[in-house]
Amino acid sequence: MRAGRRFSPLPRYQGVWAAGLAALPALIALSAATPAAAAVPAHHKAQQPVRYAQVSNTQTCNPDGLCTITATCPSGTVVTGGGVSETPLVSSGVYLMESEPTSNRTWRGTLRNASQFPVQVTVTAVCARIPGV
């Protein structure tokens, strides 16, 4: 090594580190902004945003019964998910047979009540209004 020169293990990368550290506050400030707003192209902002709705249908399922219930999404929406619940919660004798979409607007649930008690069965559909659909 020549006299008078200091040895630096990463001389080429010093400027990169300095620039990265200088940009850190700006990156932190950007991360506080809404990510979706920054990610949506300008030509998509004019369209109606996605809107969600939850629709439920509740019926009584008598003892020793097989109950099929459907929840239907409002016009202009599509089903994106759903589920089945019962009230009161019976620890045994109540069986979920199916929980599935049956069309682009409906969710169906079937429950077998082999218990000695009537239960309230609620089928819920999660619906979304998607632009262009």
Side-chain angles (χ1 to χ4, degrees):
M1 191 190 272
R2 288 187 251 172
R5 256 187 122 182
R6 288 175 60 181
F7 175 73
S8 176
L10 301 171
R12 294 190 310 209
Y13 301 108
Q14 287 176 350
V16 174
W17 279 99
L21 291 175
L24 189 58
L27 290 174
I28 291 171
L30 282 175
S31 68
T34 305
V40 177
H43 67 278
H44 286 288
K45 289 184 181 181
Q47 292 183 352
Q48 187 178 21
V50 175
R51 304 266 187 230
Y52 294 94
Q54 187 170 312
V55 179
S56 297
N57 186 5
T58 302
Q59 295 180 11
T60 300
C61 189
N62 291 319
D64 199 31
L66 183 66
C67 304
T68 299
I69 303 167
T70 302
T72 304
C73 291
S75 179
T77 63
V78 294
V79 67
T80 60
V84 180
S85 63
E86 60 154 306
T87 307
L89 182 61
V90 179
S91 61
S92 64
V94 179
Y95 307 100
L96 178 64
M97 305 301 287
E98 69 178 352
S99 179
E100 63 185 356
T102 54
S103 74
N104 65 345
R105 287 189 47 220
T106 59
W107 192 273
R108 176 176 63 201
T110 301
L111 191 119
R112 169 82 171 112
N113 183 5
S115 76
Q116 299 174 358
F117 309 101
V119 294
Q120 295 291 319
V121 180
T122 302
V123 173
T124 303
V126 179
C127 313
R129 181 178 311 279
I130 302 175
V133 174

